[in-house]
Amino acid sequence: MDGGAPAPPRTSFFHVTTSRVARAWHVVLRAGALVALLCTLAALAGCPYAGRFLIIDRPLQKADALVVLSGANVDRWLESVGLYREGYATRILLSPGYEDPLGDRLRAQGIRFPRQIDVQHDAMLQLGIPPAAMSIMPHGYDNTADGAAGVRTIAQAHGWRRVIVVTS
């Protein structure tokens, strides 16, 4: 072969030129990438609305107790104070949540190191919630399923049939 003449296209077993196969694969890969991109964009656009079908929008009904889930959000226990004052329940059950083991070690050494739940309890007392209306769950839970099971056990022990879970 001389150096200036183009080489004839190579053929595969089925006599299809490799350049045509390569072009076909490029089209398939580009189409697949486009579909993946469109699916990702659709998923991202729909994420803010994904859980809306889980929300049941009904008027709040009176309950036997208010259950305040743990967390650093002051708005949770403040909301429970408001609901208590409005007469939605006569009891408030506070969930202590996760506590740092180092705080437990400090308390074991006699160092006054208040737990977050104790600070919340004290603030609620200062806001006029009677001590008899509040109780703290015996221990915290690190996930929602265990917390729900714990609330159910306490509710059954007290004969509560309806609770309002205060969360954010």
Side-chain angles (χ1 to χ4, degrees), residues 2 9 21 39 57-58 69 72-73 78 83 100 102 104-105 109 115 122 139 147-148 160 163 165 168:
D2 72 283
V21 171
C39 288
D57 191 15
R58 294 188 301 218
L69 297 183
N73 298 337
L78 280 177
L83 292 171
D100 188 346
L102 294 175
D104 292 337
R105 286 179 43 194
Q109 295 174 12
R115 299 178 306 162
D122 290 346
H139 56 84
W160 298 341
V163 297
V165 179
S168 53

Short mmCIF file of all heavy atoms in Angstrom, two decimals, residues 2 9 21 39 57-58 69 72-73 78 83 100 102 104-105 109 115 122 139 147-148 160 163 165 168:
data_model
loop_
_atom_site.label_atom_id
_atom_site.label_comp_id
_atom_site.label_asym_id
_atom_site.label_seq_id
_atom_site.Cartn_x
_atom_site.Cartn_y
_atom_site.Cartn_z
N ASP A 2 0.47 2.20 -0.77
CA ASP A 2 1.24 3.43 -0.74
C ASP A 2 0.71 4.30 0.37
O ASP A 2 -0.42 4.18 0.82
CB ASP A 2 1.20 4.12 -2.12
CG ASP A 2 -0.14 4.74 -2.42
OD1 ASP A 2 -1.10 4.00 -2.77
OD2 ASP A 2 -0.20 5.95 -2.28
N PRO A 9 -11.98 0.17 4.83
CA PRO A 9 -12.56 -0.04 6.15
C PRO A 9 -12.50 -1.51 6.52
O PRO A 9 -12.71 -2.38 5.70
CB PRO A 9 -14.00 0.44 6.00
CG PRO A 9 -14.26 0.52 4.54
CD PRO A 9 -12.94 0.64 3.86
N VAL A 21 -20.31 0.50 13.47
CA VAL A 21 -20.60 -0.03 14.80
C VAL A 21 -20.22 0.99 15.86
O VAL A 21 -20.97 1.25 16.80
CB VAL A 21 -19.85 -1.37 15.02
CG1 VAL A 21 -19.95 -1.82 16.47
CG2 VAL A 21 -20.37 -2.44 14.09
N CYS A 39 -33.61 12.12 33.73
CA CYS A 39 -34.16 11.47 34.93
C CYS A 39 -33.63 12.13 36.19
O CYS A 39 -34.39 12.35 37.15
CB CYS A 39 -33.82 9.98 34.92
SG CYS A 39 -34.76 9.04 33.71
N ASP A 57 -53.66 16.46 56.14
CA ASP A 57 -53.98 17.77 56.66
C ASP A 57 -55.38 17.74 57.26
O ASP A 57 -56.38 17.91 56.56
CB ASP A 57 -53.88 18.82 55.54
CG ASP A 57 -53.94 20.23 56.08
OD1 ASP A 57 -53.77 20.41 57.30
OD2 ASP A 57 -54.15 21.15 55.28
N ARG A 58 -55.42 17.48 58.57
CA ARG A 58 -56.69 17.46 59.30
C ARG A 58 -56.59 18.41 60.48
O ARG A 58 -55.49 18.64 60.99
CB ARG A 58 -56.99 16.05 59.82
CG ARG A 58 -57.24 15.03 58.74
CD ARG A 58 -57.71 13.74 59.34
NE ARG A 58 -56.73 13.20 60.28
CZ ARG A 58 -56.45 11.92 60.41
NH1 ARG A 58 -57.07 11.04 59.68
NH2 ARG A 58 -55.56 11.51 61.28
N LEU A 69 -40.56 15.23 70.64
CA LEU A 69 -39.37 14.48 70.22
C LEU A 69 -38.12 15.30 70.48
O LEU A 69 -38.13 16.52 70.41
CB LEU A 69 -39.47 14.11 68.74
CG LEU A 69 -40.63 13.18 68.38
CD1 LEU A 69 -40.57 12.83 66.90
CD2 LEU A 69 -40.60 11.91 69.21
N ALA A 72 -32.45 19.69 69.10
CA ALA A 72 -31.96 20.97 69.59
C ALA A 72 -32.93 22.11 69.30
O ALA A 72 -32.67 23.24 69.67
CB ALA A 72 -30.60 21.27 68.96
N ASN A 73 -34.03 21.80 68.65
CA ASN A 73 -34.97 22.84 68.26
C ASN A 73 -35.82 23.30 69.45
O ASN A 73 -36.60 22.54 69.99
CB ASN A 73 -35.88 22.35 67.14
CG ASN A 73 -35.10 22.01 65.90
OD1 ASN A 73 -34.01 22.51 65.69
ND2 ASN A 73 -35.66 21.16 65.06
N LEU A 78 -41.48 24.64 72.77
CA LEU A 78 -42.32 25.83 72.86
C LEU A 78 -43.69 25.58 72.24
O LEU A 78 -44.71 26.05 72.74
CB LEU A 78 -41.65 27.02 72.16
CG LEU A 78 -40.57 27.75 72.96
CD1 LEU A 78 -39.94 28.85 72.12
CD2 LEU A 78 -41.13 28.31 74.25
N LEU A 83 -49.59 24.30 72.82
CA LEU A 83 -50.68 23.31 72.69
C LEU A 83 -51.25 22.94 74.06
O LEU A 83 -52.46 22.76 74.21
CB LEU A 83 -50.16 22.07 71.97
CG LEU A 83 -49.81 22.26 70.49
CD1 LEU A 83 -49.10 21.03 69.95
CD2 LEU A 83 -51.06 22.57 69.68
N ASP A 100 -24.50 12.68 75.15
CA ASP A 100 -23.08 12.43 75.00
C ASP A 100 -22.57 11.68 76.23
O ASP A 100 -22.78 12.11 77.36
CB ASP A 100 -22.35 13.77 74.86
CG ASP A 100 -20.89 13.63 74.50
OD1 ASP A 100 -20.35 12.51 74.62
OD2 ASP A 100 -20.29 14.63 74.11
N LEU A 102 -19.71 11.58 77.45
CA LEU A 102 -18.81 12.41 78.24
C LEU A 102 -19.58 13.23 79.27
O LEU A 102 -19.10 13.47 80.38
CB LEU A 102 -17.98 13.31 77.34
CG LEU A 102 -16.99 12.58 76.43
CD1 LEU A 102 -16.31 13.57 75.49
CD2 LEU A 102 -15.97 11.82 77.24
N ASP A 104 -22.28 12.22 80.73
CA ASP A 104 -22.59 11.26 81.80
C ASP A 104 -21.39 11.08 82.72
O ASP A 104 -21.55 10.96 83.94
CB ASP A 104 -23.01 9.91 81.20
CG ASP A 104 -24.33 9.97 80.46
OD1 ASP A 104 -25.14 10.88 80.76
OD2 ASP A 104 -24.56 9.11 79.60
N ARG A 105 -20.19 11.05 82.16
CA ARG A 105 -18.98 10.89 82.98
C ARG A 105 -18.79 12.10 83.89
O ARG A 105 -18.40 11.96 85.05
CB ARG A 105 -17.76 10.68 82.10
CG ARG A 105 -17.75 9.28 81.50
CD ARG A 105 -16.60 8.99 80.58
NE ARG A 105 -15.31 9.45 81.03
CZ ARG A 105 -14.25 9.53 80.25
NH1 ARG A 105 -14.34 9.19 78.97
NH2 ARG A 105 -13.09 9.94 80.71
N GLN A 109 -18.98 12.26 88.17
CA GLN A 109 -17.92 12.82 89.01
C GLN A 109 -18.45 13.94 89.91
O GLN A 109 -17.69 14.57 90.62
CB GLN A 109 -16.79 13.37 88.14
CG GLN A 109 -16.06 12.31 87.35
CD GLN A 109 -15.03 12.92 86.40
OE1 GLN A 109 -14.70 14.10 86.49
NE2 GLN A 109 -14.53 12.10 85.49
N ARG A 115 -28.33 18.11 81.42
CA ARG A 115 -28.69 17.52 80.13
C ARG A 115 -29.62 18.50 79.40
O ARG A 115 -30.30 19.31 80.02
CB ARG A 115 -29.44 16.19 80.34
CG ARG A 115 -28.63 15.14 81.05
CD ARG A 115 -29.42 13.87 81.27
NE ARG A 115 -30.69 14.16 81.95
CZ ARG A 115 -31.73 13.34 81.98
NH1 ARG A 115 -31.67 12.17 81.39
NH2 ARG A 115 -32.84 13.67 82.61
N ASP A 122 -36.79 22.60 82.78
CA ASP A 122 -36.74 23.79 83.64
C ASP A 122 -37.37 25.01 82.97
O ASP A 122 -38.09 25.78 83.59
CB ASP A 122 -35.29 24.11 84.04
CG ASP A 122 -34.72 23.09 85.01
OD1 ASP A 122 -35.49 22.29 85.58
OD2 ASP A 122 -33.48 23.09 85.18
N HIS A 139 -35.36 6.88 78.79
CA HIS A 139 -34.11 7.00 78.06
C HIS A 139 -34.40 7.48 76.65
O HIS A 139 -35.53 7.43 76.18
CB HIS A 139 -33.31 5.69 78.04
CG HIS A 139 -34.08 4.53 77.49
ND1 HIS A 139 -34.18 4.27 76.15
CD2 HIS A 139 -34.80 3.55 78.11
CE1 HIS A 139 -34.92 3.18 75.97
NE2 HIS A 139 -35.31 2.74 77.13
N GLY A 147 -37.98 5.12 68.91
CA GLY A 147 -38.70 6.15 69.65
C GLY A 147 -40.20 5.94 69.61
O GLY A 147 -40.89 6.08 70.62
N ALA A 148 -40.73 5.58 68.44
CA ALA A 148 -42.17 5.32 68.32
C ALA A 148 -42.58 4.12 69.16
O ALA A 148 -43.64 4.15 69.82
CB ALA A 148 -42.54 5.09 66.85
N TRP A 160 -53.22 5.89 77.49
CA TRP A 160 -53.44 6.95 76.50
C TRP A 160 -53.88 6.33 75.18
O TRP A 160 -53.29 5.38 74.70
CB TRP A 160 -52.16 7.76 76.27
CG TRP A 160 -51.64 8.48 77.48
CD1 TRP A 160 -52.32 8.80 78.61
CD2 TRP A 160 -50.31 8.94 77.66
NE1 TRP A 160 -51.51 9.45 79.49
CE2 TRP A 160 -50.25 9.55 78.93
CE3 TRP A 160 -49.16 8.91 76.90
CZ2 TRP A 160 -49.10 10.12 79.45
CZ3 TRP A 160 -48.00 9.49 77.41
CH2 TRP A 160 -47.97 10.08 78.66
N VAL A 163 -52.18 10.55 71.09
CA VAL A 163 -51.11 11.46 71.42
C VAL A 163 -50.86 12.39 70.22
O VAL A 163 -51.13 12.03 69.09
CB VAL A 163 -49.78 10.74 71.79
CG1 VAL A 163 -49.96 9.89 73.05
CG2 VAL A 163 -49.24 9.94 70.65
N VAL A 165 -47.75 14.14 68.46
CA VAL A 165 -46.29 14.12 68.40
C VAL A 165 -45.83 15.48 67.87
O VAL A 165 -46.22 15.89 66.78
CB VAL A 165 -45.78 12.98 67.50
CG1 VAL A 165 -44.25 13.01 67.42
CG2 VAL A 165 -46.26 11.64 68.02
N SER A 168 -40.44 18.72 64.18
CA SER A 168 -40.27 19.80 63.20
C SER A 168 -39.87 19.22 61.87
O SER A 168 -39.60 18.06 61.73
CB SER A 168 -39.22 20.80 63.68
OG SER A 168 -38.03 20.16 64.01
#
